[in-house]
Amino acid sequence: MGKYDALAALVLEAIKEGGYLKDLGSIPVGISNRHIHLSQADLETLFGAGYQLTKAKDLSQPRQYACKETLIIAGPKGALEKVRILGPARSESQVEILQADCFKLGITAPVRLSGDLQGTPGITLIGPKGSIHLSKGLLIAQRHIHMTLEDAKTFGVTDGEQVNIQIDGLRGGTYSNVVVRANNTSALEFHIDTEEANAMLLTSTSRITIVK
Amino acid sequence: MGKYDALAALVLEAIKEGGYLKDLGSIPVGISNRHIHLSQADLETLFGAGYQLTKAKDLSQPRQYACKETLIIAGPKGALEKVRILGPARSESQVEILQADCFKLGITAPVRLSGDLQGTPGITLIGPKGSIHLSKGLLIAQRHIHMTLEDAKTFGVTDGEQVNIQIDGLRGGTYSNVVVRANNTSALEFHIDTEEANAMLLTSTSRITIVK
């Protein structure tokens, strides 16, 4: 028996009882509803010359935020109102929707990683000062995990690798083809949309694990 | 070489090229949106004395059908319009909703098998001739597979057993805790709701497999 054994046992018990242990090796969940990223040029067409986005709430990824501004998005079969814009402005506009939205809009959108816009369909955006038809940029987001390069080492994965993730509970299961996006400007988070979250009963306080 | 080898090879090639082989051992998918089952008494409160449901479309399960009739369902936070009634009338009324609907209605519904209503929350139903507050019956359907007892033998499963199912494709994965419901009045079909279908990009022409 070492002289610190009693202390070590007590500390371990405190950690276990406090529920800290379950978080080791698990990853928090970020859930996105449909949303829009705009280029500065498109932002000005929709809201007026020189317009700047208004931050409503910081998101968990560094420098990303939800804006007060929303738009109507419209396809040949229908429209969706109050679709949130996320800031800051990007080099290209992009609209991330749910699979259910495709039926409402009457457009089939492919499952893509953010920024991979080549060959994606277009969509009409309607703002308070103007409207615009994007020739491309409509997608359903592919499931992915943001992490730092250090996180990637810890999990034994590399940027761009596809992994499976495990979800516990009555509506649990696994999601395949989850892309690791590792760089030095990300916070650790598993990103899915509301349909993917609801299908597995995940909430913003859930945690998941990687199973390779 | 047997004398029918050339013929057998040709038949096998035809089967493979025709795509018939992929369906062996796989199970068709049935996707439900939110819907309502009514008792005859509740039906008459909502639509008038002696009212009978009007069949709009047969469903894949024997004797089940979608009705022309819809209702408004309402909770403390909001309402959903045009929620479809499924027939025929049942012994107890039951409302199956999506997880997303819980947020709109302001009610937390448990994941349950159809008919397992004890302890489920209530919900208000509004029809053309009256409204009713069900004291229980609101649930999110637990994933299940309908099959005949003969199908169950073929798949090596039993009524009530929980299995995992495998979904292929870019948005694939597995769903756990899928309950086998085997009896002699069912058609083979994996039942999920629209959020579960969209999360895995399943459609009414998809097929899935059991992995125990």
Side-chain angles (χ1 to χ4, degrees):
Chain A
M1 291 278 287
K3 64 191 217 183
Y4 301 119
D5 280 4
L7 176 64
L10 198 64
V11 169
L12 199 61
E13 190 182 310
I15 288 171
K16 278 183 183 164
E17 290 202 351
Y20 304 111
L21 214 58
K22 71 172 167 48
D23 288 352
L24 291 176
S26 74
I27 297 173
V29 175
I31 301 167
S32 298
N33 202 345
R34 65 183 76 86
H35 63 268
I36 300 164
H37 302 281
L38 287 180
S39 68
Q40 184 61 33
D42 289 343
L43 174 65
E44 297 194 16
T45 304
L46 293 159
F47 288 88
Y51 194 85
Q52 296 292 320
L53 289 166
T54 320
K55 184 191 291 190
K57 198 179 99 178
D58 279 316
L59 299 178
S60 49
Q61 292 303 311
R63 293 177 305 286
Q64 305 294 306
Y65 53 89
C67 301
K68 284 190 182 160
E69 291 84 359
T70 63
L71 293 172
I72 299 168
I73 67 174
K77 222 181 112 185
L80 293 162
E81 297 179 2
K82 295 185 182 168
V83 182
R84 185 74 47 193
I85 300 172
L86 302 190
R90 291 195 177 185
S91 59
E92 280 191 294
S93 294
Q94 171 179 315
V95 179
E96 301 181 38
I97 60 169
L98 309 175
Q99 173 65 12
D101 297 340
C102 292
F103 306 126
K104 291 177 201 153
L105 296 168
I107 311 178
T108 302
V111 175
R112 289 289 183 90
L113 281 179
S114 183
D116 179 17
L117 306 185
Q118 197 174 0
T120 56
I123 178 90
T124 297
L125 306 180
I126 298 139
K129 292 285 173 65
S131 66
I132 193 169
H133 181 77
L134 299 180
S135 60
K136 63 176 194 248
L138 187 70
L139 58 87
I140 297 168
Q142 186 173 354
R143 311 188 269 249
H144 55 278
I145 308 175
H146 290 290
M147 60 176 73
T148 64
L149 295 170
E150 196 171 340
D151 290 329
K153 269 189 200 161
T154 306
F155 289 112
V157 298
T158 53
D159 182 47
E161 185 176 346
Q162 302 209 6
V163 296
N164 298 317
I165 65 97
Q166 171 74 41
I167 298 144
D168 296 328
L170 180 58
R171 250 193 175 192
T174 62
Y175 277 139
S176 303
N177 308 318
V178 177
V179 181
V180 172
R181 307 203 81 173
N183 58 51
N184 279 329
T185 60
S186 294
L188 181 64
E189 200 167 48
F190 171 53
H191 270 201
I192 49 175
D193 68 26
T194 55
E195 294 190 304
E196 292 172 314
N198 290 344
M200 294 281 196
L201 282 193
L202 290 168
T203 70
S204 58
T205 61
S206 302
R207 299 185 75 95
I208 58 91
T209 49
I210 293 176
V211 285
K212 292 181 78 173
Chain B
M1 294 279 284
K3 66 192 221 186
Y4 301 119
D5 279 3
L7 176 63
L10 198 64
V11 169
L12 198 62
E13 191 182 309
I15 288 171
K16 278 182 183 165
E17 290 202 351
Y20 304 110
L21 214 57
K22 73 172 164 48
D23 288 352
L24 291 176
S26 74
I27 296 173
V29 174
I31 302 167
S32 297
N33 202 345
R34 67 184 74 88
H35 64 269
I36 300 165
H37 301 282
L38 287 180
S39 68
Q40 183 62 31
D42 289 343
L43 174 64
E44 297 194 18
T45 304
L46 294 158
F47 289 89
Y51 194 85
Q52 296 293 318
L53 290 167
T54 321
K55 185 190 290 190
K57 197 178 102 179
D58 279 315
L59 299 177
S60 50
Q61 292 304 311
R63 293 178 305 285
Q64 304 295 306
Y65 52 90
C67 302
K68 284 190 182 160
E69 291 84 359
T70 64
L71 293 171
I72 299 168
I73 67 175
K77 222 181 114 185
L80 294 162
E81 298 179 1
K82 295 185 183 169
V83 182
R84 186 73 48 193
I85 300 174
L86 303 190
R90 291 196 177 184
S91 58
E92 282 192 293
S93 294
Q94 170 179 316
V95 179
E96 300 181 37
I97 61 171
L98 309 175
Q99 173 65 13
D101 297 341
C102 292
F103 307 126
K104 290 177 202 153
L105 296 169
I107 311 178
T108 303
V111 175
R112 289 288 184 91
L113 280 178
S114 182
D116 178 16
L117 306 185
Q118 198 174 357
T120 56
I123 178 90
T124 298
L125 306 179
I126 298 138
K129 293 283 173 69
S131 66
I132 194 168
H133 182 76
L134 299 180
S135 61
K136 63 175 195 257
L138 188 69
L139 58 86
I140 298 169
Q142 186 173 354
R143 312 187 268 250
H144 56 277
I145 309 175
H146 289 291
M147 61 176 72
T148 63
L149 295 170
E150 197 172 340
D151 290 330
K153 269 189 200 162
T154 306
F155 288 113
V157 297
T158 54
D159 182 48
E161 185 176 346
Q162 301 209 9
V163 297
N164 298 316
I165 66 98
Q166 171 74 42
I167 298 143
D168 297 328
L170 180 56
R171 253 195 172 189
T174 62
Y175 277 140
S176 302
N177 307 320
V178 177
V179 181
V180 172
R181 305 201 82 173
N183 58 51
N184 278 329
T185 60
S186 293
L188 180 64
E189 198 167 48
F190 171 53
H191 271 201
I192 48 174
D193 69 25
T194 56
E195 293 189 305
E196 292 172 313
N198 291 343
M200 295 280 197
L201 282 194
L202 289 168
T203 70
S204 58
T205 60
S206 302
R207 299 185 75 96
I208 58 90
T209 50
I210 293 176
V211 284
K212 292 182 78 175

Short mmCIF file of all heavy atoms in Angstrom, two decimals, chain B residues 35-39 42 89-97 107-123 125 133-142 181:
data_model
loop_
_atom_site.label_atom_id
_atom_site.label_comp_id
_atom_site.label_asym_id
_atom_site.label_seq_id
_atom_site.Cartn_x
_atom_site.Cartn_y
_atom_site.Cartn_z
N HIS B 35 -49.26 11.18 -37.21
CA HIS B 35 -50.60 10.69 -37.55
C HIS B 35 -51.39 10.34 -36.29
O HIS B 35 -50.83 10.29 -35.19
CB HIS B 35 -50.52 9.49 -38.50
CG HIS B 35 -49.86 8.30 -37.91
ND1 HIS B 35 -48.50 8.06 -38.03
CD2 HIS B 35 -50.34 7.27 -37.18
CE1 HIS B 35 -48.20 6.94 -37.40
NE2 HIS B 35 -49.29 6.43 -36.87
N ILE B 36 -52.67 10.12 -36.50
CA ILE B 36 -53.61 9.91 -35.39
C ILE B 36 -54.40 8.63 -35.61
O ILE B 36 -54.86 8.36 -36.72
CB ILE B 36 -54.61 11.10 -35.32
CG1 ILE B 36 -53.86 12.42 -35.09
CG2 ILE B 36 -55.66 10.87 -34.23
CD1 ILE B 36 -54.69 13.66 -35.36
N HIS B 37 -54.55 7.82 -34.54
CA HIS B 37 -55.52 6.72 -34.51
C HIS B 37 -56.62 7.13 -33.55
O HIS B 37 -56.32 7.61 -32.45
CB HIS B 37 -54.86 5.43 -34.02
CG HIS B 37 -53.70 4.98 -34.85
ND1 HIS B 37 -53.85 4.33 -36.06
CD2 HIS B 37 -52.35 5.08 -34.64
CE1 HIS B 37 -52.65 4.05 -36.56
NE2 HIS B 37 -51.73 4.50 -35.72
N LEU B 38 -57.88 6.95 -33.91
CA LEU B 38 -59.00 7.38 -33.07
C LEU B 38 -59.86 6.20 -32.65
O LEU B 38 -60.07 5.26 -33.42
CB LEU B 38 -59.89 8.37 -33.82
CG LEU B 38 -59.35 9.79 -34.03
CD1 LEU B 38 -60.38 10.61 -34.81
CD2 LEU B 38 -59.02 10.47 -32.70
N SER B 39 -60.41 6.28 -31.43
CA SER B 39 -61.49 5.37 -31.03
C SER B 39 -62.77 5.88 -31.71
O SER B 39 -62.86 7.06 -32.08
CB SER B 39 -61.65 5.39 -29.51
OG SER B 39 -62.14 6.66 -29.09
N ASP B 42 -64.23 8.86 -29.75
CA ASP B 42 -63.54 10.14 -29.99
C ASP B 42 -63.81 10.65 -31.41
O ASP B 42 -63.98 11.86 -31.62
CB ASP B 42 -62.03 9.98 -29.76
CG ASP B 42 -61.69 9.79 -28.28
OD1 ASP B 42 -62.54 10.10 -27.42
OD2 ASP B 42 -60.56 9.34 -27.98
N ALA B 89 -60.86 2.60 -36.97
CA ALA B 89 -60.89 3.04 -35.57
C ALA B 89 -60.30 1.96 -34.68
O ALA B 89 -60.33 0.77 -35.01
CB ALA B 89 -62.34 3.33 -35.17
N ARG B 90 -59.68 2.40 -33.58
CA ARG B 90 -59.05 1.48 -32.63
C ARG B 90 -59.77 1.52 -31.28
O ARG B 90 -60.65 2.37 -31.08
CB ARG B 90 -57.59 1.90 -32.40
CG ARG B 90 -56.71 1.67 -33.62
CD ARG B 90 -55.26 1.74 -33.20
NE ARG B 90 -54.37 1.47 -34.33
CZ ARG B 90 -53.05 1.38 -34.23
NH1 ARG B 90 -52.46 1.55 -33.06
NH2 ARG B 90 -52.30 1.11 -35.29
N SER B 91 -59.35 0.68 -30.35
CA SER B 91 -59.99 0.69 -29.03
C SER B 91 -59.63 1.95 -28.25
O SER B 91 -60.42 2.46 -27.46
CB SER B 91 -59.62 -0.56 -28.25
OG SER B 91 -58.22 -0.64 -28.10
N GLU B 92 -58.42 2.48 -28.47
CA GLU B 92 -58.00 3.72 -27.78
C GLU B 92 -57.39 4.69 -28.78
O GLU B 92 -56.64 4.28 -29.67
CB GLU B 92 -56.93 3.41 -26.72
CG GLU B 92 -57.45 2.81 -25.43
CD GLU B 92 -56.35 2.83 -24.37
OE1 GLU B 92 -55.35 2.10 -24.54
OE2 GLU B 92 -56.49 3.58 -23.37
N SER B 93 -57.63 5.97 -28.58
CA SER B 93 -57.02 6.99 -29.44
C SER B 93 -55.54 7.15 -29.11
O SER B 93 -55.12 6.97 -27.96
CB SER B 93 -57.72 8.34 -29.27
OG SER B 93 -59.04 8.25 -29.74
N GLN B 94 -54.76 7.48 -30.12
CA GLN B 94 -53.30 7.56 -29.98
C GLN B 94 -52.76 8.54 -31.02
O GLN B 94 -53.21 8.52 -32.16
CB GLN B 94 -52.73 6.16 -30.20
CG GLN B 94 -51.24 6.06 -30.34
CD GLN B 94 -50.83 4.59 -30.53
OE1 GLN B 94 -51.32 3.68 -29.86
NE2 GLN B 94 -49.92 4.35 -31.46
N VAL B 95 -51.80 9.37 -30.63
CA VAL B 95 -51.24 10.37 -31.54
C VAL B 95 -49.73 10.16 -31.62
O VAL B 95 -49.03 10.28 -30.62
CB VAL B 95 -51.56 11.80 -31.06
CG1 VAL B 95 -50.94 12.84 -31.99
CG2 VAL B 95 -53.06 12.00 -30.94
N GLU B 96 -49.24 9.83 -32.82
CA GLU B 96 -47.81 9.58 -33.01
C GLU B 96 -47.18 10.79 -33.69
O GLU B 96 -47.57 11.15 -34.80
CB GLU B 96 -47.60 8.31 -33.84
CG GLU B 96 -48.20 7.08 -33.18
CD GLU B 96 -48.00 5.79 -33.98
OE1 GLU B 96 -46.93 5.61 -34.58
OE2 GLU B 96 -48.94 4.97 -34.00
N ILE B 97 -46.23 11.41 -33.01
CA ILE B 97 -45.63 12.64 -33.53
C ILE B 97 -44.13 12.48 -33.72
O ILE B 97 -43.54 11.47 -33.33
CB ILE B 97 -45.92 13.86 -32.60
CG1 ILE B 97 -45.32 13.62 -31.20
CG2 ILE B 97 -47.41 14.12 -32.52
CD1 ILE B 97 -45.37 14.85 -30.30
N ILE B 107 -44.65 19.89 -25.60
CA ILE B 107 -44.89 18.68 -24.79
C ILE B 107 -43.76 17.68 -25.09
O ILE B 107 -43.39 17.50 -26.25
CB ILE B 107 -46.22 17.98 -25.16
CG1 ILE B 107 -47.38 18.98 -25.19
CG2 ILE B 107 -46.51 16.83 -24.19
CD1 ILE B 107 -48.71 18.34 -25.60
N THR B 108 -43.23 17.07 -24.04
CA THR B 108 -42.24 16.01 -24.23
C THR B 108 -42.95 14.68 -24.35
O THR B 108 -43.67 14.28 -23.44
CB THR B 108 -41.27 15.97 -23.03
OG1 THR B 108 -40.67 17.26 -22.88
CG2 THR B 108 -40.19 14.93 -23.24
N ALA B 109 -42.77 14.00 -25.46
CA ALA B 109 -43.41 12.70 -25.67
C ALA B 109 -42.36 11.60 -25.55
O ALA B 109 -41.23 11.77 -26.00
CB ALA B 109 -44.08 12.64 -27.03
N PRO B 110 -42.73 10.45 -24.95
CA PRO B 110 -41.77 9.36 -24.84
C PRO B 110 -41.72 8.51 -26.12
O PRO B 110 -42.67 8.53 -26.90
CB PRO B 110 -42.34 8.53 -23.69
CG PRO B 110 -43.82 8.73 -23.80
CD PRO B 110 -44.02 10.13 -24.33
N VAL B 111 -40.62 7.79 -26.30
CA VAL B 111 -40.51 6.83 -27.41
C VAL B 111 -41.17 5.53 -26.95
O VAL B 111 -40.74 4.93 -25.97
CB VAL B 111 -39.03 6.60 -27.79
CG1 VAL B 111 -38.91 5.51 -28.85
CG2 VAL B 111 -38.40 7.90 -28.28
N ARG B 112 -42.22 5.12 -27.63
CA ARG B 112 -43.00 3.95 -27.23
C ARG B 112 -43.41 3.12 -28.44
O ARG B 112 -43.52 3.65 -29.55
CB ARG B 112 -44.31 4.41 -26.54
CG ARG B 112 -44.13 5.03 -25.17
CD ARG B 112 -43.76 3.99 -24.13
NE ARG B 112 -43.70 4.59 -22.81
CZ ARG B 112 -44.73 4.66 -21.96
NH1 ARG B 112 -45.91 4.16 -22.33
NH2 ARG B 112 -44.59 5.22 -20.78
N LEU B 113 -43.72 1.85 -28.19
CA LEU B 113 -44.37 1.04 -29.21
C LEU B 113 -45.84 1.43 -29.27
O LEU B 113 -46.44 1.78 -28.25
CB LEU B 113 -44.26 -0.45 -28.88
CG LEU B 113 -42.93 -1.12 -29.20
CD1 LEU B 113 -42.96 -2.57 -28.78
CD2 LEU B 113 -42.60 -1.01 -30.69
N SER B 114 -46.41 1.38 -30.46
CA SER B 114 -47.82 1.66 -30.66
C SER B 114 -48.65 0.83 -29.69
O SER B 114 -48.41 -0.36 -29.51
CB SER B 114 -48.17 1.30 -32.11
OG SER B 114 -49.50 1.58 -32.37
N GLY B 115 -49.64 1.47 -29.02
CA GLY B 115 -50.52 0.75 -28.09
C GLY B 115 -50.05 0.77 -26.64
O GLY B 115 -50.84 0.52 -25.74
N ASP B 116 -48.77 1.09 -26.42
CA ASP B 116 -48.22 1.13 -25.06
C ASP B 116 -48.40 2.54 -24.50
O ASP B 116 -47.47 3.36 -24.49
CB ASP B 116 -46.74 0.72 -25.11
CG ASP B 116 -46.08 0.78 -23.73
OD1 ASP B 116 -46.81 0.83 -22.71
OD2 ASP B 116 -44.83 0.77 -23.69
N LEU B 117 -49.61 2.83 -24.04
CA LEU B 117 -50.00 4.22 -23.75
C LEU B 117 -49.89 4.62 -22.28
O LEU B 117 -49.99 5.80 -21.94
CB LEU B 117 -51.43 4.48 -24.23
CG LEU B 117 -51.71 4.15 -25.70
CD1 LEU B 117 -53.12 4.58 -26.06
CD2 LEU B 117 -50.69 4.80 -26.63
N GLN B 118 -49.68 3.65 -21.39
CA GLN B 118 -49.68 3.99 -19.96
C GLN B 118 -48.57 5.01 -19.63
O GLN B 118 -47.41 4.80 -19.97
CB GLN B 118 -49.49 2.73 -19.11
CG GLN B 118 -49.92 2.98 -17.67
CD GLN B 118 -49.87 1.71 -16.82
OE1 GLN B 118 -49.57 0.64 -17.32
NE2 GLN B 118 -50.17 1.85 -15.54
N GLY B 119 -48.97 6.09 -18.98
CA GLY B 119 -47.99 7.10 -18.58
C GLY B 119 -47.59 8.07 -19.67
O GLY B 119 -46.75 8.93 -19.46
N THR B 120 -48.20 7.95 -20.86
CA THR B 120 -47.90 8.93 -21.92
C THR B 120 -48.68 10.21 -21.67
O THR B 120 -49.75 10.18 -21.05
CB THR B 120 -48.26 8.36 -23.31
OG1 THR B 120 -49.64 7.98 -23.30
CG2 THR B 120 -47.41 7.16 -23.66
N PRO B 121 -48.18 11.35 -22.15
CA PRO B 121 -48.89 12.61 -21.93
C PRO B 121 -50.13 12.72 -22.82
O PRO B 121 -50.28 11.99 -23.79
CB PRO B 121 -47.86 13.67 -22.30
CG PRO B 121 -46.89 13.00 -23.20
CD PRO B 121 -46.90 11.55 -22.85
N GLY B 122 -50.98 13.67 -22.48
CA GLY B 122 -52.18 13.92 -23.26
C GLY B 122 -51.94 14.97 -24.34
O GLY B 122 -50.85 15.54 -24.45
N ILE B 123 -52.98 15.24 -25.10
CA ILE B 123 -52.89 16.21 -26.20
C ILE B 123 -54.32 16.62 -26.57
O ILE B 123 -55.25 15.85 -26.40
CB ILE B 123 -52.15 15.58 -27.42
CG1 ILE B 123 -52.05 16.53 -28.62
CG2 ILE B 123 -52.84 14.29 -27.88
CD1 ILE B 123 -50.82 17.38 -28.60
N LEU B 125 -57.15 17.53 -29.36
CA LEU B 125 -57.50 17.30 -30.77
C LEU B 125 -58.67 18.21 -31.13
O LEU B 125 -59.65 18.28 -30.38
CB LEU B 125 -57.93 15.85 -30.98
CG LEU B 125 -56.96 14.75 -30.51
CD1 LEU B 125 -57.56 13.37 -30.79
CD2 LEU B 125 -55.62 14.89 -31.19
N HIS B 133 -59.80 16.69 -25.22
CA HIS B 133 -58.46 16.58 -24.65
C HIS B 133 -58.21 15.15 -24.20
O HIS B 133 -58.80 14.67 -23.25
CB HIS B 133 -58.24 17.55 -23.47
CG HIS B 133 -56.85 17.44 -22.94
ND1 HIS B 133 -55.76 17.99 -23.59
CD2 HIS B 133 -56.34 16.78 -21.87
CE1 HIS B 133 -54.66 17.71 -22.92
NE2 HIS B 133 -54.98 16.95 -21.88
N LEU B 134 -57.35 14.45 -24.94
CA LEU B 134 -56.95 13.10 -24.54
C LEU B 134 -56.10 13.20 -23.29
O LEU B 134 -55.17 14.02 -23.24
CB LEU B 134 -56.12 12.43 -25.65
CG LEU B 134 -56.77 12.22 -27.02
CD1 LEU B 134 -55.77 11.53 -27.96
CD2 LEU B 134 -58.03 11.38 -26.90
N SER B 135 -56.38 12.38 -22.29
CA SER B 135 -55.58 12.41 -21.05
C SER B 135 -54.27 11.65 -21.21
O SER B 135 -53.33 11.82 -20.44
CB SER B 135 -56.38 11.83 -19.90
OG SER B 135 -56.70 10.48 -20.17
N LYS B 136 -54.17 10.81 -22.23
CA LYS B 136 -52.93 10.11 -22.57
C LYS B 136 -52.98 9.72 -24.04
O LYS B 136 -54.02 9.86 -24.68
CB LYS B 136 -52.74 8.88 -21.69
CG LYS B 136 -53.81 7.80 -21.85
CD LYS B 136 -53.47 6.58 -21.04
CE LYS B 136 -54.27 5.40 -21.43
NZ LYS B 136 -55.27 4.80 -20.94
N GLY B 137 -51.84 9.23 -24.58
CA GLY B 137 -51.85 8.73 -25.96
C GLY B 137 -50.86 9.39 -26.89
O GLY B 137 -50.78 9.04 -28.07
N LEU B 138 -50.07 10.37 -26.37
CA LEU B 138 -49.10 11.03 -27.24
C LEU B 138 -47.76 10.31 -27.13
O LEU B 138 -47.21 10.11 -26.03
CB LEU B 138 -48.91 12.49 -26.80
CG LEU B 138 -48.07 13.36 -27.72
CD1 LEU B 138 -48.80 13.62 -29.04
CD2 LEU B 138 -47.70 14.69 -27.07
N LEU B 139 -47.20 9.90 -28.27
CA LEU B 139 -45.93 9.18 -28.26
C LEU B 139 -45.14 9.43 -29.54
O LEU B 139 -45.68 9.87 -30.55
CB LEU B 139 -46.17 7.67 -28.05
CG LEU B 139 -47.05 6.92 -29.04
CD1 LEU B 139 -46.24 6.43 -30.24
CD2 LEU B 139 -47.69 5.72 -28.36
N ILE B 140 -43.85 9.14 -29.45
CA ILE B 140 -42.98 9.04 -30.63
C ILE B 140 -42.80 7.54 -30.85
O ILE B 140 -42.45 6.81 -29.92
CB ILE B 140 -41.62 9.71 -30.36
CG1 ILE B 140 -41.82 11.20 -30.08
CG2 ILE B 140 -40.67 9.49 -31.52
CD1 ILE B 140 -40.57 11.89 -29.55
N ALA B 141 -43.05 7.07 -32.06
CA ALA B 141 -43.04 5.62 -32.30
C ALA B 141 -41.62 5.05 -32.21
O ALA B 141 -40.68 5.62 -32.76
CB ALA B 141 -43.61 5.32 -33.68
N GLN B 142 -41.52 3.93 -31.48
CA GLN B 142 -40.23 3.23 -31.47
C GLN B 142 -40.08 2.46 -32.78
O GLN B 142 -41.02 1.85 -33.29
CB GLN B 142 -40.17 2.25 -30.28
CG GLN B 142 -38.79 1.61 -30.15
CD GLN B 142 -38.63 0.76 -28.89
OE1 GLN B 142 -39.51 0.73 -28.04
NE2 GLN B 142 -37.49 0.09 -28.79
N ARG B 181 -41.99 -7.15 -34.60
CA ARG B 181 -43.41 -7.38 -34.31
C ARG B 181 -43.92 -8.42 -35.30
O ARG B 181 -44.31 -8.09 -36.43
CB ARG B 181 -44.21 -6.08 -34.43
CG ARG B 181 -43.61 -4.97 -33.55
CD ARG B 181 -44.61 -3.87 -33.25
NE ARG B 181 -45.46 -4.26 -32.14
CZ ARG B 181 -46.36 -3.44 -31.57
NH1 ARG B 181 -46.50 -2.21 -32.01
NH2 ARG B 181 -47.10 -3.85 -30.56
#
